Amino acid sequence: MTPSASTHIESLRAAVRYHQHRYYVLDDPALSDAEFDALFRELQRLEAEHPELASPDSPTVRVGGLIAERFEKVRHPAPILSLANVFGAEDMYAWRERLRRLLPAEEQAKLAYVVEPKFDGLTVVLHYENGRFVLGATRGDGEVGENITPNLRTVRVLPLTIPVEEDGGEHGLQNLRIEEDVTPPIDTQRASVSTTQSPIPNPQSPSLLVVRGEAYVTVADFDAFNRSQEEQGERTYANPRNFAAGSLRLLDSGISARRPLRLWVYQALIWEGVDDPPATHWDSLAYLKALGLPVAAEARRFTDEQFDELVDYLSHWHDLRARLPYELDGMVVKVDSLAQQERLGFTGKDPRWAVAYKTGGEEAATKLLDITVKVGRTGVVTPNAVLEPVAIGGVTVSAATLHNEDYISELDIRVGDTVLVKRAGDVIPKVLRPLPELRDGSEQPWQMPSVCPVCGQALVRPEGEVATYCVNNACPEQLVRKVEYFVGKAALDVVGFGSRQAELFVEQGFIHDLADVFELPWETIAAMEGYGEKRVENLRAAIEAAKSRPAARLLTGLGIRFVGSSVAEIVMAAYPDLPSLMAADVASLSASEGIGPKIATSLVDFFALQPNRALIAKFAHLGVRMSGDARVAAEGVAQPFAGLTFVITGTLPTLSREEAKVYIEERGGKVTGSVSAKTDFLLAGEKAGSKLEKAEKLGVAVVSEEELRRKGEGIVNGEL
Ligand code: IVH
């Protein structure tokens, strides 16, 4: 080992760290990509030449590669607490009152607050010993987390050693270094509100530093990743948060390394070995920043006298969110003095000295570019908003429902308006109202068209109804939607038959009624572009398989008013086959539990119509199964959920709610809408709300989709 090689490598490492820090953390690169690459490659070359100088802290060692079998448990040095939510200004003043009551008069006067974004990612706890990153963990249950150090080491913004040298090292880099220019602090609202900390010139490296932060990905990186996954037919993620969490918890850190993970740190849990540790949260942020850790520039400090300004600032947090490239989940307000924090303490698992500020629901304002109408499978014509794309809660929204004609006229929504859009869970986003104060006079009132945009027949709005209909039974759009539903997951579930096929086959004149799905002209299709031999074979086989699904699926697929998949199953359980059901009257139909006169009448009315009876006869003639019950036994699916009642809430990782319901019901379980003492399991996904709270209150077991599947498959494999 030559001393010169060793110093050279060290100075190159320092330089790479410095430039990565500028690039990733300060967002202020001093080198072009090519210059940086040259530097990085030079370091790689030298390290390859001198394997004896290898170091796990080298910035070249970010590629991961360690494959864990499972994550080890790590006990946190201090509990990783959560935050109580507050909603709106009143809650903020009430919180301040509580603080005052808990503090003696002389302390009240000294109150000050720091407001920060609430980053929407995954909590991580990072340990630095003698300046080296040695351990990183997830939050877990707040006491014990999982050791995800190898994955965190791949996160470029996370320095592997601290402090990151101020000048990027001294040796041989003069030609690469560019003078640092000082970027002005963004959005300095008022001189009295602190927006940047005073710099700490030469921060002392702590012997032990434990910090808490949030790992995340930017909205743009998330979109790009999902787009490329989609192109390759790979799984996509629901939102940036899930993506970040999923990427950090991969057992193969080599894959984590290729995910665009980033990080903000926002709290120091432990400082050891520093002569003069910071006494306020504000100063600790400055200290962390000076050590080279990524600290968001968006923090603001307010004195108690400025509390009105603080509340006003919070009320505009949507503006901040719109400006930032990553997702926010509200704002966090913290008491600045660490001594006061300690004095205020905790209630349960929430600190008294900090709160999360949120506003109800997920809303955003955007431009209403146009209103188009869509014909549904029942002929209902729904107006839909075409929106300038806007990110709401991690999802880009460019369309929303406007319900019906009256909704638009009552709210006076005009094309060109800026409108408030709300998205909640997995439901279709809706336009809440226009913001008339933003009009410039160019906005145009809207009217329901008088004819169907697809078939050109006059639209009808029956007396006393809010809905407008295309009453042309032959309207191709209605038929497309009917077919789509018929072959969809809740009904016959034909794999490989989606909206595109429905549109194409109707447009080509292959399908005139639902039964035609079973009589497609396969030779003609095989000659069409994009329909190779394999694809045609698969589709044909899938359609063939759908013929033997239990009749409840067929009944669901008919799209009879009020007859969804659960109702279809209830009624089919009461009759041996579809023809017997068709012969039933309202009274006997209503004898089944859960079937009232409204549903019964709808069924009777449907089967009273000759074309509908003819359709059923056609199905029977084509060999589509007419019998109902015993479907599960017939399909050979075990019944691990027999006698169990489930409620579904939130967004599940892979299944839609309808699919989850089918999954449970196929295995003998029942799905109901609300949690009660009779509920056995709550199947909960992301953003579960009041149902989850209720389940927890009632002591109802909560399961994830994964657990559900394990239980659902376990019996089949004889494991349970
Ligand atoms: S401070 C004891 N600051 O929000 C106080 N938390 O709902 C500790 N979070 O689990 C939290 N941004 O992961 C704090 N600027 C921020 C934050 C933040 C996001 C997360 C944190 C916590 C959750 C609480």
Side-chain angles (χ1 to χ4, degrees):
M1 167 171 108
T2 55
S4 70
S6 146
T7 17
H8 192 43
I9 284 187
E10 264 320 314
S11 70
L12 276 169
R13 283 177 183 159
V16 168
R17 280 183 200 120
Y18 169 76
H19 289 291
Q20 282 188 328
H21 181 246
R22 288 196 63 142
Y23 184 89
Y24 289 111
V25 182
L26 307 178
D27 198 11
D28 180 30
L31 297 183
S32 70
D33 289 358
E35 286 168 318
F36 178 79
D37 285 346
L39 193 65
F40 194 83
R41 272 200 307 273
E42 174 64 4
L43 174 60
Q44 279 180 320
R45 191 185 64 76
L46 274 174
E47 287 184 341
E49 233 169 60
H50 296 276
E52 74 283 5
L53 297 176
S55 156
D57 299 325
S58 170
T60 56
V61 195
R62 293 259 192 190
V63 288
L66 200 76
I67 302 184
E69 274 178 26
R70 57 181 182 84
F71 298 110
E72 270 171 39
K73 301 274 183 249
V74 187
R75 184 161 288 279
H76 299 303
I80 305 302
L81 302 149
S82 55
L83 290 171
N85 290 335
V86 300
F87 297 92
E90 252 177 61
D91 284 3
M92 282 308 300
Y93 286 104
W95 177 64
R96 182 206 202 185
E97 274 318 304
R98 269 201 308 282
L99 297 176
R100 287 169 176 243
R101 270 202 310 275
L102 292 161
L103 293 172
E106 71 278 11
E107 286 291 318
Q108 291 173 19
K110 286 192 260 164
L111 270 170
Y113 312 87
V114 176
V115 179
E116 295 165 15
K118 185 168 189 302
F119 311 109
D120 198 10
L122 185 79
T123 296
V124 292
V125 181
L126 312 170
H127 296 231
Y128 286 88
E129 273 173 30
N130 300 319
R132 294 183 57 218
F133 174 61
V134 291
L135 175 66
T138 63
R139 176 174 187 273
D141 62 5
E143 303 280 335
V144 176
E146 286 175 327
N147 183 338
I148 52 164
T149 312
N151 297 357
L152 283 167
R153 291 184 73 89
T154 70
V155 176
R156 304 290 194 279
V157 293
L158 183 152
L160 299 174
T161 56
I162 51 169
V164 174
E165 275 180 47
E166 276 279 297
D167 61 356
E170 284 304 322
H171 307 272
L173 294 161
Q174 284 75 3
N175 53 344
L176 284 172
R177 223 180 306 135
I178 292 170
E179 281 310 302
E180 189 168 344
D181 59 356
V182 181
T183 3
I186 43 168
D187 174 28
T188 310
Q189 292 190 317
R190 281 164 188 258
S192 57
V193 175
S194 309
T195 58
T196 44
Q197 292 95 344
S198 29
I200 296 178
N202 281 311
Q204 207 185 342
S205 177
S207 56
L208 176 64
L209 173 69
V210 181
V211 292
R212 175 173 179 175
E214 200 85 355
Y216 72 97
V217 290
T218 65
V219 175
D221 283 342
F222 164 74
D223 288 340
F225 179 84
N226 261 1
R227 258 199 313 276
S228 97
Q229 289 289 99
E230 228 161 61
E231 279 162 18
Q232 295 161 35
E234 298 285 341
R235 88 161 271 197
T236 55
Y237 285 88
N239 54 48
R241 188 179 180 284
N242 285 2
F243 178 40
S247 302
L248 263 187
R249 298 194 70 263
L250 291 163
L251 289 169
D252 180 350
S253 61
I255 304 180
S256 297
R258 293 195 293 273
R259 300 284 172 89
L261 286 161
R262 293 165 191 253
L263 183 88
W264 291 123
V265 302
Y266 53 72
Q267 193 193 11
L269 295 165
I270 297 182
W271 293 102
E272 270 173 26
V274 179
D275 298 334
D276 197 8
T280 64
H281 178 61
W282 187 246
D283 288 344
S284 65
L285 290 180
Y287 208 121
L288 296 174
K289 198 190 269 177
L291 288 170
L293 288 158
V295 175
E298 277 70 29
R300 296 280 179 281
R301 184 177 184 276
F302 295 84
T303 62
D304 193 51
E305 271 168 14
Q306 295 166 326
F307 203 79
D308 293 338
E309 283 167 53
L310 182 155
V311 173
D312 183 59
Y313 180 68
L314 288 175
S315 72
H316 290 99
W317 78 277
H318 282 111
D319 300 342
L320 178 66
R321 162 150 93 175
R323 268 202 296 119
L324 294 175
Y326 48 86
E327 284 287 329
L328 297 194
D329 179 32
M331 300 292 279
V332 182
V333 188
K334 301 172 182 175
V335 168
D336 191 27
S337 152
L338 299 180
Q340 287 185 343
Q341 287 188 2
E342 191 149 341
R343 184 163 201 149
L344 289 161
F346 305 88
T347 50
K349 55 183 175 42
D350 301 326
R352 289 202 187 86
W353 46 264
V355 282
Y357 176 92
K358 299 194 175 181
T359 35
E362 296 277 13
E363 295 171 19
T366 188
K367 264 251 173 338
L368 174 62
L369 302 174
D370 197 5
I371 299 177
T372 57
V373 296
K374 211 176 141 190
V375 186
R377 72 186 151 87
T378 56
V380 174
V381 177
T382 326
N384 285 298
V386 180
L387 302 169
E388 205 165 87
V390 60
I392 314 182
V395 173
T396 304
V397 172
S398 57
T401 178
L402 285 160
H403 305 286
N404 55 56
E405 192 177 10
D406 288 357
Y407 187 81
I408 297 173
S409 58
E410 273 159 24
L411 290 172
D412 185 24
I413 295 171
R414 305 181 192 175
V415 174
D417 265 340
T418 301
V419 290
L420 204 60
V421 181
K422 180 177 176 113
R423 189 189 140 254
D426 50 3
V427 300
I428 302 167
K430 75 190 241 172
V431 173
L432 289 180
R433 60 185 171 87
L435 301 173
E437 58 280 16
L438 298 178
R439 282 181 184 156
D440 64 8
S442 67
E443 300 74 17
Q444 293 295 319
W446 182 82
Q447 263 192 328
M448 180 65 92
S450 56
V451 298
C452 171
V454 181
C455 69
Q457 293 284 322
L459 295 178
V460 175
R461 179 168 169 189
E463 273 288 329
E465 281 202 37
V466 285
T468 304
Y469 294 85
C470 167
V471 290
N472 173 16
N473 254 333
C475 174
E477 186 70 8
Q478 266 183 64
L479 185 57
V480 169
R481 301 287 152 239
K482 280 199 175 101
V483 170
E484 207 175 39
Y485 183 71
F486 184 67
V487 298
K489 289 245 167 66
L492 287 181
D493 194 13
V494 182
V495 182
F497 201 142
S499 327
R500 229 182 293 146
Q501 285 70 28
E503 268 160 34
L504 180 69
F505 297 160
V506 169
E507 184 195 289
Q508 295 288 320
F510 303 159
I511 297 182
H512 300 99
D513 65 31
L514 294 179
D516 288 341
V517 164
F518 299 104
E519 276 191 303
L520 287 169
W522 290 112
E523 274 175 32
T524 317
I525 293 172
M528 286 166 53
E529 206 178 301
Y531 284 82
E533 205 177 315
K534 187 100 194 112
R535 183 138 185 226
V536 168
E537 255 332 292
N538 287 343
L539 188 56
R540 208 174 164 164
I543 292 174
E544 212 39 49
K547 282 186 181 173
S548 49
R549 300 244 196 283
R553 297 294 200 102
L554 178 65
L555 182 60
T556 305
L558 297 176
I560 302 170
R561 218 160 169 217
F562 312 126
V563 185
S565 57
S566 348
V567 168
E569 272 173 35
I570 298 173
V571 292
M572 278 317 299
Y575 299 90
D577 52 29
L578 209 49
S580 339
L581 171 73
M582 285 163 72
D585 59 13
V586 172
S588 68
L589 281 165
S590 326
S592 297
E593 209 195 309
I595 308 298
K598 197 174 79 176
I599 298 172
T601 309
S602 176
L603 279 160
V604 168
D605 288 352
F606 182 88
F607 290 119
L609 292 177
Q610 174 48 35
N612 293 338
R613 302 177 78 88
L615 179 67
I616 304 298
K618 197 168 163 191
F619 282 130
H621 175 72
L622 289 166
V624 181
R625 176 165 154 194
M626 293 286 124
S627 64
D629 68 82
R631 70 177 232 185
V632 178
E635 290 191 341
V637 177
Q639 301 284 279
F641 299 151
L644 298 177
T645 304
F646 289 75
V647 173
I648 308 175
T649 186
T651 311
L652 302 171
T654 72
L655 294 175
S656 71
R657 290 207 202 179
E658 193 50 47
E659 288 161 357
K661 185 162 177 268
V662 171
Y663 183 88
I664 292 166
E665 289 173 348
E666 277 185 345
R667 286 157 183 77
K670 201 166 103 189
V671 177
T672 63
S674 58
V675 178
S676 74
K678 289 190 199 135
T679 311
D680 295 296
F681 290 103
L682 177 71
L683 170 59
E686 274 288 299
K687 306 227 158 119
S690 59
K691 287 183 185 169
L692 181 59
E693 275 169 33
K694 192 155 177 208
E696 281 167 354
K697 226 178 264 162
L698 293 174
V700 170
V702 178
V703 292
S704 67
E705 183 188 316
E706 202 192 323
E707 286 158 340
L708 178 84
R709 285 180 186 269
R710 251 187 270 137
K711 285 184 206 291
E713 307 310 322
I715 295 262
V716 180
N717 305 331
E719 283 168 6
L720 277 177

